[in-house]
Amino acid sequence: MPDEIRRQLTFEYAEVWEEWTASCIPATCPDHVRRLANTFPLTSGSNCLAATLFAVTGAEWMATQWVHPGTFLQTLGQAGYIRIESETTEREDVLTFIDEAGRVQHATYCIGAGLFFNKNGQTLFNPWKLIQQHELFEAWGDYTCQTYRRP
């Protein structure tokens, strides 16, 4: 198959997985997040929990991992985050979305001004991208949202 046809098929397949719209990267975005924001991973496997821990810790290797919810919550605690009750979101907050059984189904990191560093899914077709808060809640609003913050 010619390279151009393979390239086109790959793009069309990737668009089935996720919408490619993303928010622009503001000047206030942390440098380590900026390096991955609005890009695709090279391999499948990394999940939203890994992306969030990468944003929290700055450990680039973490962004490429698959992280278990228990490991996620433990690492978040080790980074100094505690669960709070808040109706507003601040820069560096972590939002988790919890199912009825109390399991973390999604997590994301606030870079400020209503923007979140986010990854939906575990494939290489799911980019790390910046999304608006309303997009986040459109996708995950059926779950209970919990906020974590460094005191």
Side-chain angles (χ1 to χ4, degrees):
M1 183 180 310
D3 285 346
E4 185 54 37
I5 291 175
R6 283 191 313 189
R7 184 175 184 271
Q8 183 61 35
L9 286 173
T10 302
F11 280 126
E12 288 175 13
Y13 183 71
E15 286 179 319
V16 171
W17 284 91
E18 182 150 352
E19 197 173 301
W20 287 4
T21 59
S23 295
C24 293
I25 302 171
T28 57
C29 184
D31 287 339
H32 70 286
V33 172
R34 177 184 304 278
R35 286 193 298 277
L36 291 185
N38 302 339
T39 68
F40 286 89
L42 297 177
T43 60
S44 292
S46 64
N47 63 4
C48 62
L49 305 180
T52 302
L53 290 179
F54 156 73
V56 165
T57 65
E60 199 152 330
W61 66 268
M62 198 170 286
T64 62
Q65 305 301 303
W66 184 91
V67 174
H68 183 275
T71 303
F72 169 78
L73 291 172
Q74 180 181 16
T75 307
L76 199 59
Q78 290 171 342
Y81 278 77
I82 59 171
R83 189 171 147 206
I84 63 161
E85 297 296 326
S86 179
E87 300 212 2
T88 60
T89 305
E90 297 179 6
R91 183 183 169 127
E92 297 186 355
D93 280 357
V94 169
L95 300 185
T96 59
F97 294 85
I98 311 299
D99 67 16
E100 291 176 357
R103 295 177 297 237
V104 176
Q105 294 297 315
H106 187 69
T108 191
Y109 177 83
C110 182
I111 65 163
L115 284 176
F116 291 82
F117 180 69
N118 194 66
K119 187 172 193 308
N120 286 333
Q122 304 171 104
T123 75
L124 57 96
F125 300 113
N126 300 113
W128 296 289
K129 66 182 186 176
L130 299 184
I131 64 171
Q132 300 284 331
Q133 186 166 341
H134 71 87
E135 295 172 275
L136 181 65
F137 280 91
E138 283 173 14
W140 297 98
D142 290 342
Y143 294 94
T144 301
C145 181
Q146 295 178 343
T147 302
Y148 290 80
R149 184 176 293 160
R150 285 187 186 138

